[in-house]
Amino acid sequence: MQNVVADRVLLESLAPVVEENLVRHVEAAAEWQPHDYVPWDDGRNFVFLGGTDWEPGQSTLSEVSKAALTVSVLIADNLPAYHREVGKYLRTGPWWRWVGRWTAEENRHEILIRNYLMVTRAVDPVALERMRMAHMTKGFRRPAMHLLDVLATVAFEEAAAAVRHRNTAAVADDPIVAAIADRIAADDELQAVFFANLVAAGLDHAPDQAARAIADRIADFQVPSVELADGRTSDEVLAEAGIYDSAREPELVFRPLLERWNFFTRTDFGEVGEKARAELAHLKG
């Protein structure tokens, strides 16, 4: 039986890996500006400032693209809750600097999508604002987790977000929407690598604990869900559109990360790790 490593010890032990990966991430991340992707010439005032209010005929996007961007902006709108949930575990040294960087990148996604939707009048702004109020009032909270559980969860979430945005780009009927989705997906992929590298380091420091965390977080994994104005959930809409289907998570989200971690070929698991590996045998490629 391997000794259990306390979270405070792991936070200290993994801090150099966080620092190394933060430097790598910043160097690898392309600098980009959200305002560059917004066709500002398409904008005009609403009635409040003497213009015209939104009506459905003003939108030129397909229902699929509108749904995908609505889901993305509403999830990003709830960033304060995600920041809180990640930050409460990582409020020290390079961990906290990473939380700041990650939050800034996620906020940039929200700024970009919302500006695009408002300027192009792609969706009803009143309905979107009402959904935002409802979504943020409902809030988001994770159950209490240990450090390795948090890292595994966010690694899976960022990998899933990358899949969602790449597929949004693939089905987009507008070149700007495709460019926006691809740009955000590139950020998601780099963020997923960051968290995946931390999980890999956790596997080296505490193999059984990390393996148990991975198996547990796969077992209860759920992407953030949004209730839309028509009463449907984002899960239903995105699955129907072929943008994100939870049935394909084993193939598109879990298996690539398990392979990255050499999960099925490691030789350092004890009894706990072997049990976790056996539970995930169905995901072996």
Side-chain angles (χ1 to χ4, degrees), residues 21 61 87 108 177 190 194 197 227 237 262 265 283:
N21 275 274
L61 290 186
R108 182 166 56 187
V177 171
L190 281 178
F194 184 97
N197 286 352
E227 185 172 341
V237 171
N262 298 315
T265 59
L283 295 175

Side-chain angles (χ1 to χ4, degrees), residues 11 30 49 71 108 111 136 158 169 179 181 184 223 239 264:
L11 281 168
L49 293 179
V71 170
R108 182 166 56 187
I111 291 168
M136 293 192 67
E158 290 297 351
I184 294 175
V223 296
F264 295 109

Side-chain angles (χ1 to χ4, degrees), residues 207-251:
D208 276 12
Q209 282 174 253
R212 184 69 266 162
I214 290 167
D216 287 345
R217 300 294 65 87
I218 286 177
D220 65 8
F221 183 71
Q222 288 184 313
V223 296
S225 182
V226 174
E227 185 172 341
L228 303 177
D230 61 6
R232 293 184 297 169
T233 67
S234 56
D235 299 337
E236 297 169 326
V237 171
L238 296 183
E240 290 173 5
I243 291 175
Y244 190 88
D245 186 347
S246 61
R248 298 193 67 192
E249 284 171 348
E251 167 197 357

Side-chain angles (χ1 to χ4, degrees), residues 10-268:
L10 282 171
L11 281 168
E12 183 177 348
S13 299
L14 297 180
V17 184
V18 177
E19 186 68 56
E20 176 187 341
N21 275 274
L22 179 55
V23 171
R24 178 201 54 75
H25 179 90
V26 172
E27 290 178 349
E31 183 181 34
W32 63 274
Q33 305 302 328
H35 59 262
D36 285 338
Y37 290 79
V38 181
W40 300 101
D41 283 346
D42 292 352
R44 58 191 188 278
N45 291 341
F46 292 95
V47 165
F48 186 77
L49 293 179
T52 57
D53 274 345
W54 183 87
E55 55 88 13
Q58 294 169 358
S59 177
T60 61
L61 290 186
S62 68
E63 293 303 314
V64 170
S65 289
K66 285 190 284 188
L69 291 181
T70 296
V71 170
S72 289
V73 77
L74 288 175
I75 290 174
D77 270 328
N78 221 1
L79 180 60
Y82 294 112
H83 172 89
R84 180 194 67 232
E85 290 300 305
V86 173
K88 71 184 181 184
Y89 297 98
L90 310 177
R91 299 182 65 88
T92 180
W95 294 93
W96 188 236
R97 291 197 297 276
W98 164 248
V99 171
R101 171 74 188 203
W102 175 81
T103 301
E105 290 181 357
E106 293 295 320
N107 187 223
R108 182 166 56 187
H109 300 167
E110 187 275 337
I111 291 168
L112 167 56
I113 300 173
R114 181 167 293 280
N115 283 344
Y116 174 82
L117 293 175
M118 294 302 100
V119 167
T120 63
R121 298 186 175 226
V123 300
D124 181 349
V126 175
L128 183 65
E129 177 62 9
R130 288 172 178 166
M131 284 189 285
R132 186 189 73 86
M133 292 293 288
H135 185 54
M136 293 192 67
T137 300
K138 181 179 179 182
F140 171 82
R141 189 173 295 277
R142 300 187 196 278
M145 290 185 182
H146 289 292
L147 176 62
L148 294 172
D149 294 276
V150 174
L151 297 176
T153 295
V154 186
F156 292 133
E157 286 179 345
E158 290 297 351
V163 170
R164 174 162 52 87
H165 286 121
R166 287 296 183 198
N167 286 339
T168 297
V171 303
D173 54 330
D174 181 283
I176 298 179
V177 171
I180 289 172
D182 272 333
R183 179 60 265 169
I184 294 175
D187 280 1
D188 295 333
E189 288 161 355
L190 281 178
Q191 292 167 351
V193 168
F194 184 97
F195 285 105
N197 286 352
L198 266 292
V199 173
L203 279 162
D204 291 338
H205 279 73
D208 276 12
Q209 282 174 253
R212 184 69 266 162
I214 290 167
D216 287 345
R217 300 294 65 87
I218 286 177
D220 65 8
F221 183 71
Q222 288 184 313
V223 296
S225 182
V226 174
E227 185 172 341
L228 303 177
D230 61 6
R232 293 184 297 169
T233 67
S234 56
D235 299 337
E236 297 169 326
V237 171
L238 296 183
E240 290 173 5
I243 291 175
Y244 190 88
D245 186 347
S246 61
R248 298 193 67 192
E249 284 171 348
E251 167 197 357
L252 300 177
V253 178
F254 304 142
R255 192 171 297 138
L257 284 171
L258 291 171
E259 290 175 353
R260 183 185 186 93
W261 297 324
N262 298 315
F263 191 82
F264 295 109
T265 59
R266 300 181 69 94
T267 59
D268 53 358

